[in-house]
Amino acid sequence: MEVRRTVPVKLDVTESDANLLRETIQQFLDSANYVVDVASKGEWVETRKSVLHDKTYSHVRDRTDLHSNHVQSARDRAVDALKATIAKWKQGRYASLPTFTTPSCEYNPRNATFNDDHATLATVDGRITAEYVLPDEHRDTPQSRYLLNDNYETTGATLHYRNGSFYLHIRTKADVDAPDRPENGTVLGVDLGVENIAVTSTGTFWTTDELTHWRTEYVERRKSLQECGTRWAHENVQSVGRTETGRFEQYLHRVANELVAEAVENGCSYIAFENLTDIRDRMPRTRKFHEWAFRRLYGYVEYKAQARGILVEQITPQYTSQRCSECGFTHEDNRHRETFSCHSCGYENHADYNAAKNIGLKLLRNQTGGEGGAPVGVRLNSGMLTTNGVVPVPTSVRVGVHAECHGL
């Protein structure tokens, strides 16, 4: 089984080398934006890399001091962003042409050499040596597990500049033995929401309180800086945005780790999420920020679960919030914001918990079998939900990051 991991490493560089890296990043971004301009000038947006190579490569090489592989990577970044934009257009959604401003650029083994304690990086004026700032070698960290592990091969990296420092997000891969999958076919259902970013069928809630607090704080900070109108303020707005994203990603990693641990502790073979396509249309209170957080959390859970032999699946979310997980009666009046009250059997509980059980049950009904056994039940906090009802299986309720149990 091929496993891929990305390891962030802070760099220690001299001031003169830092200037070269900043200029390299700027020329890389200018090149990507130039490719977007060329691609969008015709009757349609061109996304064929071979065509854009012929149209842009020589000109970019003439107008910049970039390494040839940087030129190709800038083109590829532009093409990937254009394809994502076109996909939104085909769905009838508004999306502007991509513009690249976040200070970062790509490296691969042809324009960089990666070592255990440093990397040599191509710049607009030759190569520079960047020392890694690594944690204590005796600690169990992503750096020790992947970067310093001879079983993992380095495939490339993205150079980031934020808060006055440079970071390499180094990509690694390895072929490892596939972990043993739990054979019991148990499903952990997960509901995503605005008030609670994730709720599992075992009754664990991860709230958005911290995310919402940080979001409000950063919005106010950016607003104050934008009102200044100076170049310094503009640069600081970008810095605040990068700090915000990093803080959110750290929190989402934490939630993902605990969610996968919940599945492992309950011996689950599957983790079921609702399909994220058009989630903002289905959830009126969802903002673009929430959609980004949902997708990022799903991605984190997917690769973390893979390492534990757990499959992560998406199901169509139709009626999962309106259906009673006890009797199956489905009606839009069953749910009122955070409360679920079945108008048929009288079952009452938190609406997100009810939805999490339905999401797991829907995967249970959709699956017909496969490696590790077909799903046989949805894990609950006090038993197992099957297509025939609840089978008691004593277990304790576990509480996640800032979780809140609602009398489940």
Side-chain angles (χ1 to χ4, degrees):
M1 179 181 74
E2 184 178 270
V3 174
R4 294 178 179 268
R5 295 291 183 266
T6 299
V7 182
V9 178
K10 188 176 182 179
L11 302 181
D12 182 13
V13 296
T14 65
E15 184 57 37
S16 59
D17 288 346
N19 291 333
L20 290 176
L21 290 177
R22 279 190 287 266
E23 180 60 26
T24 302
I25 289 174
Q26 188 56 56
Q27 291 193 21
F28 180 90
L29 297 177
D30 291 343
S31 300
N33 286 323
Y34 172 72
V35 173
V36 171
D37 290 340
V38 172
S40 58
K41 281 185 176 178
E43 295 181 3
W44 64 86
V45 177
E46 180 62 70
T47 58
R48 289 173 294 178
K49 291 182 180 179
S50 59
V51 174
L52 289 174
H53 177 86
D54 293 339
K55 288 185 175 183
T56 64
Y57 180 81
S58 296
H59 184 65
V60 172
R61 287 304 305 274
D62 290 340
R63 63 183 281 183
T64 70
D65 300 308
L66 292 175
H67 188 281
S68 59
N69 290 110
H70 274 142
V71 175
Q72 295 174 36
S73 295
R75 178 205 63 214
D76 292 348
R77 180 181 286 190
V79 168
D80 290 343
L82 286 167
K83 287 181 177 179
T85 298
I86 292 172
K88 292 179 180 179
W89 290 348
K90 289 181 178 179
Q91 296 171 1
R93 300 164 58 190
Y94 170 79
S96 58
L97 288 170
T99 300
F100 302 99
T101 58
T102 301
S104 66
C105 70
E106 302 298 328
Y107 280 93
N108 56 52
R110 291 178 293 278
N111 56 9
T113 302
F114 304 97
N115 300 284
D116 287 347
D117 58 356
H118 72 279
T120 61
L121 306 174
T123 72
V124 292
D125 187 17
R127 288 204 175 206
I128 62 101
T129 298
E131 302 289 340
Y132 297 159
V133 179
L134 297 173
D136 188 324
E137 61 181 347
H138 300 295
R139 290 174 53 197
D140 181 24
T141 64
Q143 289 82 3
S144 63
R145 288 197 299 271
Y146 310 120
L147 184 62
L148 304 179
N149 187 336
D150 292 337
N151 294 324
Y152 280 80
E153 172 192 356
T154 299
T155 60
T158 302
L159 176 67
H160 294 269
Y161 179 66
R162 60 178 182 269
N163 301 328
S165 298
F166 291 95
Y167 298 84
L168 266 185
H169 288 202
I170 303 174
R171 296 182 290 276
T172 66
K173 70 175 183 179
D175 288 323
V176 300
D177 294 334
D180 295 332
R181 295 194 61 233
E183 297 292 332
N184 57 17
T186 305
V187 179
L188 181 72
V190 182
D191 181 62
L192 303 175
V194 175
E195 299 296 331
N196 299 294
I197 192 166
V199 177
T200 65
S201 56
T202 51
T204 303
F205 287 61
W206 287 270
T207 76
T208 57
D209 290 350
E210 280 194 50
L211 291 177
T212 301
H213 173 73
W214 294 339
R215 179 70 171 168
T216 301
E217 177 183 311
Y218 286 119
V219 166
E220 290 299 318
R221 192 178 302 177
R222 281 197 301 270
K223 180 180 178 181
S224 177
L225 288 169
Q226 288 168 344
E227 289 175 350
C228 293
T230 65
R231 180 177 178 179
W232 172 88
H234 175 71
E235 292 175 350
N236 274 271
V237 167
Q238 294 178 319
S239 176
V240 167
R242 293 189 292 272
T243 302
E244 176 185 21
T245 299
R247 195 171 187 181
F248 290 159
E249 288 178 337
Q250 186 178 43
Y251 179 86
L252 293 172
H253 266 296
R254 230 164 78 207
V255 174
N257 285 334
E258 294 197 6
L259 202 156
V260 172
E262 183 82 2
V264 172
E265 290 171 14
N266 285 282
C268 296
S269 305
Y270 299 85
I271 299 177
F273 283 83
E274 60 184 297
N275 192 297
L276 300 181
T277 304
D278 299 327
I279 193 167
R280 291 179 66 191
D281 295 333
R282 300 196 309 270
M283 299 169 59
R285 292 193 296 153
T286 305
R287 298 179 180 273
K288 187 175 182 180
F289 161 71
H290 295 106
E291 181 181 15
W292 169 85
F294 295 155
R295 294 186 185 281
R296 192 59 59 95
L297 177 62
Y298 177 83
Y300 292 159
V301 170
E302 187 175 36
Y303 85 77
K304 292 173 189 289
Q306 179 193 38
R308 307 302 294 267
I310 300 171
L311 296 180
V312 180
E313 305 281 353
Q314 293 188 22
I315 58 92
T316 55
Q318 191 174 23
Y319 303 124
T320 52
S321 64
Q322 300 176 9
R323 180 186 182 277
C324 176
S325 58
E326 293 290 308
C327 73
F329 176 70
T330 304
H331 196 280
E332 61 181 9
D333 291 340
N334 283 347
R335 176 167 186 165
H336 180 67
R337 296 183 68 85
E338 303 304 311
T339 301
F340 185 90
S341 179
C342 180
H343 285 222
S344 177
C345 71
Y347 171 73
E348 294 185 356
N349 216 311
H350 193 285
D352 294 342
Y353 174 61
N354 178 75
K357 292 197 290 182
N358 282 327
I359 288 170
L361 190 59
K362 203 160 191 178
L363 176 66
L364 188 67
R365 288 171 168 161
N366 291 347
Q367 293 281 355
T368 57
E371 184 182 355
V376 297
V378 179
R379 178 63 72 180
L380 307 180
N381 70 316
S382 58
M384 187 87 73
L385 178 63
T386 71
T387 54
N388 296 320
V390 176
V391 178
V393 179
T395 184
S396 60
V397 176
R398 280 156 291 276
V399 180
V401 179
H402 298 283
E404 180 183 353
C405 290
H406 295 262
L408 310 179

